[in-house]
Amino acid sequence: MRRKNFFVLLLSLMPVCSFAQHPFKHWTEAIETRYDIKQPIINYILAINSADTSSFSVEMRIRNIPDTFYVAMVAHPEYDDQYWRYVEDLKVTTKKGKGEVFRKDSALWKITAGSNEVVLDYRIKLPSLHNEFRSAWKAFLSPTGGLVGGPHSFMYIVGATLAPSYVTLHIPRSWEIATGLTQTSDPKTFFAASTNILVDDPIFVGKFKSWLFKIDDVPHRLVYWSLPQANEFDTARLLSGIQKIVEQAELLFERFPYRDFTFMLQDGALGSLEHNNSVTVGAPVNQLINDMDETFAEIAHEYFHTWNLVRIHPIEYGDINYRTPPLSKGLWFSEGLTMFYADLLMRRASLPVFDSTRIAHLEHLVRRYLASPAYLKYSAETISLASYGPVGMLGDYSASTHLHGEILGALLDFIIRDATGGKRSMDDVMRQMMENFSGEKGFTSKNIEETVHKICGCDVHPFFTDHIFGSKEIDFNKYFKLAGLQMNVALKDMLSDDGKPVPDLRIYSWQKKNEDFLRIAITNPQSCWGSAGLHTGDIIKSVNGTPIKTTNDFRQVIRSLKIGDSIALEVERPSGIIKINVLIKGYQQPEVKIQHLSALSQKQKNLFTQWNE
Ligand SMILES: [Zn+2]
């Protein structure tokens, strides 16, 4: 049904030959391996020994290379795990003997070999975990499997990021391989057409459960790696839920932007990350048994990033680099609209969602939005910049670009639907963004404004000026009214599950890189902490006269506080050391109710029905 609608819309509204940023200008560009005669030729051999899972080795065979060159390890724009810290035994050999290695910077090495054929050898000594959960995208090894590859494993040749490479895996005989890298006729050898692909296609290895499914003939693989003696879960439900999410994404974009896709799910890990044509997802078996819907929500989010972030990318996200790339002003769209669509894909797929209805979901979002004054102080672009920036970029405020962007996307969706009499929606914006900004050219917020304008034929300049580039208060009812809805807000005491007032504990401690003392972070200047005069960045000298050494110790002290307690903090700031007493109080949060207006026009009724279907 939805697909048919899209098709009619495409024929009637899209210019017939609007191929925009088509990736290929000539058929020869579609040939898999293209190279410049001067480019180096690289083959990696990654070897794992299941008897010693503390490290793995990488051999990098390079031909066609100058006498002196640089190798580096890539910094991920959001999750720079700095695995250059774990490189050991880096050696350079040539047919003539040994070359020389100079470490120029933390993630950069200068190699002088004097030969155009060089072999680099190194080991990655994996960091040991101390009872904490692993992040699902980080390299790890265990006797029954692990995750390798990506920025955690491969050095690359600086200045030659378009050079293709092969990766051969030496792994235990009984282990399988799952990766987004291109398969070759050798089941243990894979191909990466560029360094970007090499480092954004992690390699999952081990003994796992594996399923294959096809949507529109495009192969998709689901792989689950479990810890030894893990309980069983409903694998058929997991597979079917993921299939439904994939189907809905295909209905939205009408095609897949990849040749095949791999869902890599793992026990014993949390968090998840998007990649070129795969996702790494932490899915502890207990979560799959007790709350599989939570796993679906996470998968829907990361999977949607395949389009929105990996393909449709902000202008700041360029080629890979060993230096941390600049912060992005566009994450309100990349993260916020991904939140918006993860929820929508789940609803369209009839999968259970946290908020039963779209209205309940909006209430939930607006409540969180109104609870923080940050959104009235900082623009969507500034909050985007701060989302992966250092603590303290927003001063005594805390904000989520995911939440902010989802709300802005939801409001733009109302505007587009209203302006086009329901013929168009944010779906059309996403397809147009994919067409225009999934190639070399990344987008700016201005480009999004232009795209929305093109789709709705309406003036969204004031909306962007006020809320994307500015921080003007949102008149929610102006937009909800378009769908015949009205919001009411009341401030209510924050209560625990058993109805008792909750103490205001909106403070935490953090450490700057290379500092061995703790600093304070305030998340709301109106909290009892902010009102008492504390500020984000204050250095903690003592709490109730006792020095505090770790963030965990600070958390313990804060968590033990009750309403009516008093706590004395001694803090240092450039002006000197001061003592601040804080009286712990309860606090209020907004309660949001969205209801239907009593008298509705046919247009409002139609808009609501379409929006809610
Ligand atoms: Zn995300």
Side-chain angles (χ1 to χ4, degrees):
M1 188 66 186
R2 184 169 281 119
R3 180 202 291 269
K4 198 175 164 196
N5 284 345
F6 289 163
F7 188 60
V8 172
L9 269 179
L10 268 181
L11 283 182
S12 59
L13 293 167
M14 298 277 285
V16 175
C17 283
S18 172
F19 291 133
Q21 207 171 348
H22 195 284
F24 298 140
K25 300 274 188 296
H26 187 261
W27 65 268
T28 52
E29 291 177 46
I31 290 174
E32 280 187 346
T33 310
R34 291 179 58 83
Y35 55 87
D36 181 302
I37 196 83
K38 295 188 284 301
Q39 262 178 354
I41 301 159
I42 311 152
N43 292 290
Y44 296 89
I45 297 172
L46 193 154
I48 296 167
N49 176 358
S50 63
D52 176 12
T53 55
S54 65
S55 68
F56 58 86
S57 69
V58 179
E59 184 181 306
M60 191 176 171
R61 297 182 187 172
I62 310 163
R63 286 187 286 136
N64 208 29
I65 191 82
D67 289 352
T68 297
F69 60 99
Y70 290 84
V71 291
M73 288 184 87
V74 171
H76 190 279
E78 287 137 32
Y79 303 92
D80 184 11
D81 295 322
Q82 304 183 329
Y83 265 49
W84 46 260
R85 291 175 293 170
Y86 311 125
V87 173
E88 289 188 350
D89 307 333
L90 176 56
K91 292 196 300 281
V92 188
T93 44
T94 69
K95 282 181 182 156
K96 292 186 238 160
K98 284 197 167 120
E100 288 182 322
V101 180
F102 307 92
R103 195 153 194 169
K104 298 297 283 183
D105 203 341
S106 49
L108 181 70
W109 293 262
K110 181 180 174 184
I111 309 292
T112 303
S115 167
N116 76 344
E117 282 191 36
V118 176
V119 178
L120 288 188
D121 283 284
Y122 58 91
R123 298 190 73 77
I124 299 290
K125 174 92 176 136
L126 292 163
S128 42
L129 292 172
H130 306 287
N131 290 328
E132 72 263 54
F133 257 87
R134 211 163 21 78
S135 298
W137 62 86
K138 287 190 186 179
F140 80 99
L141 280 178
S142 81
T144 60
L147 186 78
V148 291
H152 304 100
S153 301
F154 297 123
M155 289 187 177
Y156 72 98
I157 297 168
V158 178
T161 55
L162 292 177
S165 59
Y166 284 94
V167 176
T168 299
L169 298 172
H170 291 176
I171 56 171
R173 198 181 286 266
S174 61
W175 288 15
E176 285 183 75
I177 303 163
T179 178
L181 293 172
T182 307
Q183 288 198 312
T184 68
S185 42
D186 174 356
K188 298 273 168 69
T189 298
F190 297 84
F191 175 72
S194 71
T195 309
N196 186 304
I197 290 172
L198 174 76
V199 298
D200 201 21
D201 272 323
I203 305 165
F204 205 21
V205 288
K207 299 175 181 178
F208 29 61
K209 295 189 173 84
S210 179
W211 301 264
L212 192 68
F213 64 93
K214 288 186 179 179
I215 307 284
D216 272 5
D217 297 325
V218 177
H220 292 73
R221 189 179 182 197
L222 165 63
V223 172
Y224 188 74
W225 176 82
S226 52
L227 292 167
Q229 279 98 45
N231 291 327
E232 292 297 318
F233 62 92
D234 188 347
T235 53
R237 186 169 163 240
L238 179 68
L239 181 63
S240 141
I242 292 174
Q243 276 180 289
K244 286 177 186 166
I245 292 167
V246 174
E247 280 166 3
Q248 289 304 322
E250 198 274 343
L251 280 172
L252 169 60
F253 287 102
E254 299 161 349
R255 68 192 69 187
F256 295 109
Y258 46 73
R259 242 179 309 201
D260 62 10
F261 197 91
T262 308
F263 294 88
M264 305 177 192
L265 273 60
Q266 31 173 314
D267 198 359
L270 289 177
S272 44
L273 191 59
E274 71 282 353
H275 306 286
N276 280 323
N277 57 341
S278 62
V279 283
T280 38
V281 180
V285 75
N286 283 342
Q287 181 176 302
L288 292 172
I289 292 168
N290 301 318
D291 190 9
M292 193 181 283
D293 300 335
E294 176 58 34
T295 308
F296 288 142
E298 203 154 339
I299 290 172
H301 180 95
E302 301 308 335
Y303 180 59
F304 196 79
H305 271 320
T306 310
W307 284 266
N308 191 28
L309 188 59
V310 178
R311 303 299 190 283
I312 307 168
H313 58 280
I315 195 163
E316 296 90 348
Y317 285 17
D319 196 6
I320 53 157
N321 205 319
Y322 58 90
R323 295 190 189 95
T324 310
L327 299 169
S328 167
K329 290 181 186 171
L331 293 182
W332 68 271
F333 187 86
S334 303
E335 289 296 355
L337 271 295
T338 299
M339 296 297 289
F340 178 80
Y341 274 102
D343 177 69
L344 259 188
L345 295 191
M346 298 270 288
R347 289 178 199 275
R348 289 175 180 174
S350 301
L351 288 168
V353 282
F354 175 68
D355 300 310
S356 56
T357 63
R358 287 203 78 185
I359 288 184
H361 188 61
L362 265 189
E363 286 174 342
H364 180 71
L365 296 177
V366 177
R367 181 183 62 70
R368 288 174 54 212
Y369 173 91
L370 294 177
S372 169
Y375 305 105
L376 300 182
K377 188 167 172 67
Y378 297 107
S379 69
E381 287 208 321
T382 306
I383 292 172
S384 295
L385 284 172
S387 66
Y388 292 110
V391 177
M393 269 185 79
L394 300 181
D396 294 340
Y397 296 80
S398 126
S400 157
T401 200
H402 293 67
L403 170 72
H404 202 190
E406 183 173 5
I407 286 181
L408 295 168
L411 300 182
L412 284 169
D413 189 41
F414 281 130
I415 292 170
I416 299 163
R417 287 170 185 273
D418 177 70
T420 60
K423 289 194 178 70
R424 294 202 155 190
S425 71
M426 190 48 89
D427 289 5
D428 299 277
V429 173
M430 294 311 301
R431 285 190 285 269
Q432 191 65 50
M433 288 293 288
M434 182 69 187
E435 193 73 4
N436 292 358
F437 301 104
S438 62
E440 192 180 346
K441 188 176 162 195
F443 69 80
T444 63
S445 297
K446 195 74 197 157
N447 295 135
I448 302 166
E449 180 187 327
E450 287 156 5
T451 307
V452 175
H453 169 71
K454 186 176 171 189
I455 296 295
C456 72
C458 60
D459 183 12
V460 285
H461 186 63
F463 184 94
F464 274 75
T465 303
D466 291 347
H467 308 306
I468 310 300
F469 306 110
S471 57
K472 198 170 164 188
E473 186 172 4
I474 296 176
D475 180 0
F476 282 101
N477 278 332
K478 177 178 163 189
Y479 305 106
F480 292 163
K481 193 178 165 190
L482 304 175
L485 299 170
Q486 158 124 21
M487 174 182 91
N488 290 303
V489 182
L491 277 177
K492 293 276 167 76
D493 286 340
M494 189 69 182
L495 302 176
S496 60
D497 288 343
D498 54 1
K500 299 210 175 78
V502 171
D504 183 353
L505 308 181
R506 293 176 289 175
I507 186 171
Y508 65 93
S509 66
W510 58 288
Q511 249 177 321
K512 260 189 197 172
K513 252 184 209 167
N514 308 324
E515 285 185 353
D516 58 359
F517 46 83
L518 299 179
R519 290 174 183 269
I520 273 174
I522 303 284
T523 63
N524 186 329
Q526 294 153 12
S527 64
C528 61
W529 309 93
S531 307
L534 288 163
H535 293 293
T536 295
D538 285 345
I539 297 165
I540 304 170
K541 303 302 286 182
S542 71
V543 177
N544 289 336
T546 310
I548 296 280
K549 289 271 181 283
T550 67
T551 52
N552 199 28
D553 291 348
F554 187 76
R555 198 178 308 125
Q556 303 258 322
V557 174
I558 298 299
R559 280 191 184 165
S560 68
L561 295 169
K562 295 178 191 61
I563 292 173
D565 286 352
S566 184
I567 181 169
L569 286 105
E570 196 181 26
V571 297
E572 183 182 337
R573 52 181 65 152
S575 56
I577 293 177
I578 54 167
K579 202 169 171 184
I580 292 179
N581 286 309
V582 182
L583 175 66
I584 308 303
K585 299 176 185 162
Y587 63 109
Q588 292 193 310
Q589 292 270 275
E591 192 179 86
V592 175
K593 277 270 158 250
I594 298 175
Q595 287 162 323
H596 293 275
L597 286 163
S598 48
L600 296 179
S601 68
Q602 194 55 46
K603 191 180 179 191
Q604 285 171 313
K605 281 183 195 163
N606 291 348
L607 203 161
F608 178 79
T609 309
Q610 274 190 341
W611 173 81
N612 199 40
E613 72 185 2

